[in-house]
Amino acid sequence: MDELVKAITAALEDCELVLGWARDPATGAGRPERFTSAGQAQEAIFDATCVHNLAVHLPRLKQRRVGIVVKGCDARSVVELVVEREVERERVQVIGVGCDGVLDLKRIWRRHGYGVAIEDDGETLLVDGSEVERQPLLQHKCRHCLDADPSIYDVVVGGRTAEGPEPRGERQELAERFREMTPSQRRDFWRRQFARCIRCYACREACPMCFCRDVCIMQTQVPHWAGGEVNPKEAEMIQLIRVGHLAGRCTGCGECERACPVEIPLMLLMEEQNRALEEMLDYRAGTDIEARPPLLTFDPDRDLWGDE
Amino acid sequence: MTTTARAGRAAAEPLRPEPATIVEVIEETPNIKSLRVVFDDGELMKSFSFAPGQVGQLGILGVGEATFAISSAPSEKDFLQFSVMKTGVVTTAIHELAAGDKVTLRAPLGNSFPVEEWRGKNVLVVGGGIGMAPLRSLFMHLMDHREDYGDLQLIYGARTPADVCFSSDCSLWSEKRDVDFITTIDAEHPEWGGRVGLVPSVLEEENPSPENNVAVTCGPPVMLKFVFESLEKLGFREDQVYTTLERRMKCGIGLCGRCNVGPRYVCVDGPVFSLAELRRLPDEL
Amino acid sequence: MKFIAREDIPRWLERLAQAAAVWTPRRAPDGGETVLFLPWEQGSEPELDRFTDLSAKHLLLPASEKLFPFQYRLGGEGEQIEIGAAPATPESVVLFGARACDARATVVLDALFMQSPEKGYLAPYYRRRRQALAVITLACTRADAACFCSSWEEGTASREGSDVMLFPHEDGYLAEAVTGRGEELIGGEPFSERDAGPPDTAVTDQVPLAGLQEKFTAVFSRLDFWEEVTARCISCGYCTYACPTCHCFNIFDEMRDDRCGERCRSWDACMFYLYTLETSGHNPRPTIAHRYRNRIGHKFSYYPENQGTFLCTGCGRCIRGCPVSLDIRDVLRKVGDAR
């Protein structure tokens, strides 16, 4: 980890603060930290418990020069934020880290108790001292990751231990099951999921691309798009707002789903849309810093529906 | 306060409003209207009473409720008056109402000016803009009980002549010999023959004595800040100065949580606070 | 003491369900590993070995409820409005498998919602639900790294707010009636007598609470302190909605058609910008630091000052599920240490 500490310390010569992770004393897992001094940077870590996408903080810090430690997936958020001119590339020092996938900590904690001892070297995972199969305990997004290496960085720290993860897992099975459903079955499926929604908006607040923040139309009175009640119908509406507003902008970082306190498979919605848009527009958000996102660009000659 | 029909019902269902009807709409200024409202339940109207400074939740079913000071005097028994500035969703909808339209009311809510404690004292009332609404109720109450109080002075400031609220009251008050009433506007204006100057400067020019006096003020936050300073300059102690606060409110009964200033809830512990009380609270206005 | 075998729990729940709506911790349908307090149904398996992800406060303060229906009608004298009756609430509810922190939360909420009407706080909606509720608590013999209920004297063994206490024992649970209603709940089948005392319960992390009120007041105006401790906060409402004691709410109208609608109430969170935004555009708590400060103030200073009890029971939910790993205990310790 010395390499990471060194990189953060170096970045601090140029930046007011660096967003990274330090160990949470209560759990031993990574938690977001703002490093402002070389001394404090000694605490910096990166491992499979550093699940958060720190790019969510960038729009709030846009007036300042900041550094940020990113996994491959987080880097895509930085790219998309730059593409959408929410963040100036010149103001951000990007420290990339090689990643072997991060853990679904909530799942581990739900099974074994919050703060259970976790040891992981990128290949072997020990929970509470016993070896468990690693792959099923990774975040869903990590099980079919295409972005394990950051696409943009000013400096890269550490490499991957393992090969890219096997692109298989229960999420794909859920996606396949979902695709086979009839429209009414799909509706029932989501009603069942949204019955748990408490409208805490953690999905929105954890999303780096949801930077409308305090004026998000899910909550405003004018315009009044969603009602105020907590029920599956309204939850469906607010998720449709999210999905719609993230069309062509979602980088698949999975933070909405990770932040959801009741495990609503929000990425299933996002990934289905991302897949459709990729086919239609040949565009993956957050992969090309020079890109002009097709849905944010008006091009009268472009035929979106492919029947020219 | 006597037990009223509303008090009984409010105890059973405090969030359930009473149907009411608008009997008159007065256009005070380009963005302020006064609405005179009567409970549909005649018994309730007859038994209704309140004290100056108390507020009500005026609402339109389907749009929502908002909190307003009652701007009528307790002695005006035929209606309750609310003076509403057009700013948000509810107030915009209220501005579209006319006589005969239906509204809902939950009133009275909150505490009131301690007018009983002030008996025998001089009272200085300093208002600005829509902040005059609760002060109208207070000033009329003081005049209704003129013999209970010493000198009564009212300084009322508006931005321009067109922004002067309660103009018919103003002409009445300025004719009264037993009260000292001053209206002022912020800057010289061709249609204005009266006093010109910001409220705090007019206050300092008037130079009221703090001796046996209480000052009551309400207005925009920036005016309040300078009025407090002027009053202190004039020698008023914190416990001689009163104001009434505004916060976003929903329930009006101390439960929904949003109107707190530190440990105090504006809806039940206020809206009237002495400056001494305010200074003891965390600075989060 | 009374004893019930683990395998007899379903029989007991079935009996309870004959007279009351019964809620138990359960895996949510199609919900992964999430455990919530959900209505008991024939054949449903209570999940008694895990903590629930959300609290049971919705039994007293539903996430949203209809206060009353209303309608506009054209009558002989022009337009009239009709305000209907509040929907009925269940007459008897049993919460099965709460933990001591959940049960104690009802007592903490009672301090505000059940106080004498003279005080001006009138909450008949809460009162009806509270009076219908009986709580069967499962004492914790195991704590996790987020639990901190032992910050209060009784900790995991607190009987406050419980009607019945269950203590894990061998192949089942020892049952102790705390109230008269509790006596009724554990009377008769399928309970037997067993000669044993209640076992030791777990001890959790402890946060020093003494003097916190004064220390909060002292550090209140240091916005830099609050900015630092909340730097990682993203201002979602999870912590407030998962909390068994957070109770702030919103009131709003929903129209069902041109003439009919309902006035509704739903949870609201002090962490939202819109919560205190005034129509003038002024917001007394404009930043995350302001809002989190109010959250801490409400729980550990204002509520104790007004109601004589902390607005927290140490359940740890705000810690377990926080998307950015913000630990309220860290903040409390920093408030305690601030000089």
Side-chain angles (χ1 to χ4, degrees):
Chain A
M1 274 305 107
D2 289 352
E3 244 188 303
L4 177 61
V5 172
K6 250 184 252 165
I8 293 175
T9 311
L12 278 171
E13 285 174 19
D14 188 41
C15 300
E16 272 181 69
L17 58 94
V18 174
L19 301 165
W21 294 272
R23 216 167 279 296
D24 183 340
T27 60
R31 71 172 179 195
E33 198 65 66
R34 289 186 182 189
F35 299 107
T36 52
S37 70
Q40 195 201 357
Q42 299 295 320
E43 295 167 17
I45 60 158
F46 178 74
D47 62 25
T49 65
C50 297
V51 295
H52 323 80
N53 182 352
L54 305 173
V56 71
H57 295 285
L58 289 179
R60 281 200 176 96
L61 295 168
K62 64 175 129 188
Q63 304 309 320
R64 300 159 77 173
R65 282 193 74 81
V66 299
I68 181 169
V69 185
V70 294
K71 305 182 284 288
C73 46
D74 309 337
R76 279 182 65 185
S77 301
V78 179
V79 170
E80 188 63 21
L81 286 167
V82 171
V83 164
E84 295 190 18
R85 302 194 184 155
E86 191 61 19
V87 165
E88 283 177 60
R89 178 68 184 90
E90 297 71 35
R91 281 180 187 268
V92 184
Q93 283 263 356
V94 181
I95 302 169
V97 286
C99 173
D100 291 310
V102 290
L103 297 169
D104 188 342
L105 286 178
K106 279 195 191 165
R107 179 175 290 220
I108 296 175
W109 287 337
R110 278 182 173 115
R111 283 185 191 166
H112 300 273
Y114 179 79
V116 67
I118 295 170
E119 288 168 72
D120 177 74
D121 63 3
E123 284 179 296
T124 313
L125 172 64
L126 302 180
V127 174
D128 208 7
S130 313
E131 184 171 349
V132 291
E133 205 189 333
R134 188 173 191 270
Q135 178 77 0
L137 288 173
L138 293 179
Q139 299 270 340
H140 287 300
K141 64 174 175 182
C142 304
R143 293 183 227 168
H144 51 101
C145 172
L146 297 171
D147 309 288
D149 297 313
S151 58
I152 58 157
Y153 51 84
D154 296 293
V155 53
V156 155
V157 177
R160 284 189 281 134
T161 315
E163 292 290 303
E166 281 286 304
R168 189 71 209 164
E170 69 190 82
R171 169 47 50 86
Q172 280 87 333
E173 284 152 26
L174 183 58
E176 279 157 26
R177 199 179 109 200
F178 183 73
R179 276 172 220 145
E180 280 161 17
M181 290 180 195
T182 64
S184 75
Q185 285 170 328
R186 290 182 185 199
R187 196 177 181 79
D188 290 347
F189 173 82
W190 284 115
R191 284 276 154 99
R192 211 155 51 236
Q193 296 298 332
F194 290 141
R196 300 197 294 282
C197 175
I198 51 172
R199 293 188 75 165
C200 69
Y201 299 108
C203 47
R204 180 184 76 190
E205 300 302 336
C207 174
M209 301 316 297
C210 274
F211 46 72
C212 300
R213 302 277 180 239
D214 303 330
V215 293
C216 173
I217 55 168
M218 288 177 192
Q219 267 175 307
T220 52
Q221 278 291 303
V222 188
H224 190 67
W225 281 50
E229 288 173 286
V230 181
N231 61 33
K233 187 175 130 257
E234 299 298 347
E236 187 175 289
M237 185 64 200
I238 66 173
Q239 288 307 332
L240 287 177
I241 291 173
R242 271 200 85 234
V243 170
H245 201 185
L246 286 160
R249 305 176 58 238
C250 171
T251 63
C253 77
E255 283 293 84
C256 50
E257 183 170 297
R258 185 187 66 78
C260 180
V262 290
E263 286 186 273
I264 300 173
L266 297 169
M267 282 306 287
L268 181 58
L269 280 177
M270 288 299 174
E271 280 167 4
E272 287 299 289
Q273 169 165 279
N274 291 351
R275 199 173 58 97
L277 286 172
E278 211 178 309
E279 276 170 24
M280 193 188 288
L281 305 168
D282 191 24
Y283 178 74
R284 288 178 77 220
T287 52
D288 176 6
I289 204 157
E290 304 292 335
R292 295 170 66 209
L295 290 180
L296 298 178
T297 311
F298 178 64
D299 179 356
D301 296 329
R302 184 164 185 132
D303 178 5
L304 282 182
W305 311 109
D307 50 12
E308 51 201 308
Chain B
M1 201 171 308
T2 51
T3 309
T4 64
R6 172 61 195 165
R9 284 184 215 173
E13 296 287 345
L15 297 180
R16 188 186 178 80
E18 303 289 346
T21 303
I22 293 178
V23 291
E24 192 182 348
V25 177
I26 303 162
E27 295 216 22
E28 303 281 5
T29 76
N31 67 348
I32 298 173
K33 285 183 181 180
S34 289
L35 295 99
R36 295 187 163 177
V37 181
V38 176
F39 286 113
D40 287 357
D41 180 338
E43 285 303 308
L44 182 56
M45 195 64 217
K46 233 180 273 171
S47 69
F48 187 82
S49 72
F50 74 99
Q54 286 195 292
V55 300
Q57 287 273 1
L58 178 64
I60 303 175
L61 293 172
V63 179
E65 292 179 319
T67 317
F68 303 100
I70 303 174
S71 63
S72 48
S75 60
E76 293 177 292
K77 288 285 182 192
D78 297 338
F79 56 84
L80 273 89
Q81 178 174 299
F82 297 94
S83 302
V84 177
M85 187 157 82
K86 187 169 161 179
T87 45
V89 177
V90 175
T91 53
T92 300
I94 287 175
H95 266 245
E96 282 164 18
L97 297 174
D101 283 343
K102 292 292 175 187
V103 289
T104 62
L105 260 185
R106 289 192 288 134
L109 297 168
N111 71 354
S112 54
F113 295 108
V115 285
E116 299 301 315
E117 283 173 34
W118 297 346
R119 279 169 189 264
K121 294 186 182 192
N122 306 324
V123 183
L124 163 67
V125 180
V126 183
I130 188 67
M132 195 56 215
L135 301 182
R136 176 186 186 267
S137 177
L138 171 69
F139 197 64
M140 289 177 70
H141 178 85
L142 296 174
M143 288 193 295
D144 285 336
H145 300 81
R146 187 67 196 85
E147 66 289 354
D148 292 342
Y149 300 94
D151 296 343
L152 295 184
Q153 188 176 34
L154 169 61
I155 300 173
Y156 171 43
R159 253 176 349 113
T160 71
D163 292 311
V164 176
C165 261
F166 312 122
S167 38
S168 57
D169 297 316
C170 288
S171 9
L172 272 175
W173 298 340
S174 52
E175 280 162 23
K176 289 217 175 239
R177 287 162 182 277
D178 57 350
V179 298
D180 181 12
F181 174 59
I182 297 161
T183 332
T184 174
I185 60 165
D186 287 1
E188 292 287 354
H189 192 283
E191 285 159 32
W192 185 255
R195 195 87 167 245
V196 173
L198 295 174
V199 170
S201 358
V202 173
L203 171 61
E204 286 182 38
E205 284 161 27
E206 286 298 308
N207 194 24
S209 161
E211 184 66 33
N212 195 35
N213 204 345
V214 292
V216 194
T217 181
C218 183
V222 61
M223 184 202 97
L224 285 187
K225 184 172 173 277
F226 289 108
V227 166
F228 291 151
E229 277 176 24
S230 299
L231 287 169
E232 290 189 303
K233 220 185 284 177
L234 293 168
F236 282 78
R237 293 187 320 269
E238 287 177 350
D239 60 355
Q240 285 175 288
V241 178
Y242 292 80
T243 187
T244 161
L245 294 184
E246 200 178 23
R247 276 259 160 148
R248 181 165 185 171
M249 293 180 196
K250 285 288 179 179
C251 75
I253 52 174
L255 299 176
C256 81
R258 73 201 65 223
C259 71
N260 69 305
V261 180
R264 298 282 89 88
Y265 286 83
V266 173
C267 69
V268 285
D269 301 314
V272 175
F273 292 90
S274 73
L275 186 55
E277 288 169 311
L278 273 190
R279 295 262 157 95
R280 282 196 297 271
L281 291 177
D283 182 16
E284 198 178 65
L285 296 176
Chain C
M1 274 181 98
K2 295 247 185 186
F3 177 82
I4 181 167
R6 204 175 165 110
E7 64 196 31
D8 286 334
I9 293 285
R11 262 213 300 157
W12 184 28
L13 290 173
E14 207 167 313
R15 200 195 87 195
L16 293 172
Q18 285 165 7
V22 178
W23 294 68
T24 76
R26 257 176 66 193
R27 298 286 183 101
D30 238 339
E33 313 227 352
T34 298
V35 178
L36 302 171
F37 288 106
L38 294 171
W40 177 84
E41 290 159 16
Q42 190 78 41
S44 72
E45 189 74 27
E47 174 60 82
L48 299 179
D49 296 323
R50 293 189 184 184
F51 295 141
T52 52
D53 289 280
L54 301 175
S55 81
K57 71 174 165 190
H58 57 88
L59 297 180
L60 296 172
L61 299 164
S64 70
E65 67 179 322
K66 296 168 176 42
L67 293 172
F68 54 80
F70 57 80
Q71 64 171 318
Y72 288 89
R73 285 193 320 123
L74 271 178
E77 299 159 34
E79 194 168 59
Q80 300 295 318
I81 50 181
E82 266 179 28
I83 299 177
T89 53
E91 280 175 24
S92 183
V93 176
V94 172
L95 169 60
F96 175 85
R99 303 291 173 150
C101 50
D102 300 319
R104 218 167 68 75
T106 60
V107 178
V108 169
L109 287 171
D110 288 349
L112 174 68
F113 285 94
M114 297 286 274
Q115 63 185 305
S116 79
E118 288 84 65
K119 185 91 202 298
Y121 300 99
L122 304 158
Y125 327 93
Y126 179 94
R127 188 174 292 267
R128 282 195 289 272
R129 288 196 164 88
R130 182 69 177 96
Q131 282 162 351
L133 181 69
V135 181
I136 299 172
T137 301
L138 180 55
C140 294
T141 47
R142 205 166 51 92
D144 72 17
C147 295
F148 64 108
C149 70
S150 299
S151 307
W152 288 268
E153 210 177 332
E154 303 274 324
T156 53
S158 169
R159 286 156 172 80
E160 275 186 281
S162 298
D163 292 278
V164 172
M165 291 295 289
L166 298 178
F167 298 93
H169 180 74
E170 293 168 1
D171 55 340
Y173 304 92
L174 296 169
E176 175 192 309
V178 182
T179 64
R181 185 151 181 211
E183 297 276 2
E184 289 168 26
L185 294 174
I186 62 170
E189 286 285 299
F191 287 88
S192 56
E193 287 293 327
R194 190 165 289 198
D195 203 13
D200 287 341
T201 55
V203 177
T204 72
D205 184 20
Q206 293 167 32
V207 178
L209 298 172
L212 210 51
Q213 231 173 302
E214 295 72 31
K215 282 169 178 161
F216 171 78
T217 309
V219 79
F220 180 91
S221 54
R222 279 185 45 199
L223 204 59
D224 60 332
F225 170 88
W226 296 103
E227 278 165 1
E228 196 190 314
V229 297
T230 61
R232 66 172 71 93
C233 179
I234 51 176
S235 206
C236 76
Y238 165 73
C239 50
T240 61
Y241 287 178
C243 175
T245 64
C246 273
H247 54 264
C248 295
F249 59 85
N250 191 12
I251 299 174
F252 53 90
D253 291 0
E254 294 291 352
M255 292 303 285
R256 304 301 170 196
D257 61 36
D258 283 355
R259 317 198 63 79
C260 299
E262 278 147 352
R263 182 151 293 168
C264 305
R265 170 168 77 164
S266 73
W267 291 348
D268 206 345
C270 58
M271 291 310 299
F272 297 147
Y273 177 80
L274 295 177
Y275 179 69
T276 45
L277 178 66
E278 291 165 17
T279 46
S280 64
H282 174 67
N283 194 335
R285 300 198 273 267
T287 71
I288 295 176
H290 287 96
R291 300 198 282 278
Y292 196 85
R293 175 176 71 183
N294 184 68
R295 176 170 158 76
I296 295 289
H298 192 198
K299 290 188 167 301
F300 297 94
S301 178
Y302 315 149
Y303 202 79
E305 179 177 334
N306 291 330
Q307 318 302 345
T309 176
F310 289 106
L311 191 65
C312 173
T313 64
C315 77
R317 287 191 182 88
C318 59
I319 301 166
R320 273 179 218 113
C322 176
V324 291
S325 316
L326 180 54
D327 190 327
I328 196 169
R329 294 170 298 183
D330 281 351
V331 179
L332 295 176
R333 289 190 170 112
K334 282 181 181 151
V335 169
D337 292 343
R339 11 182 61 240

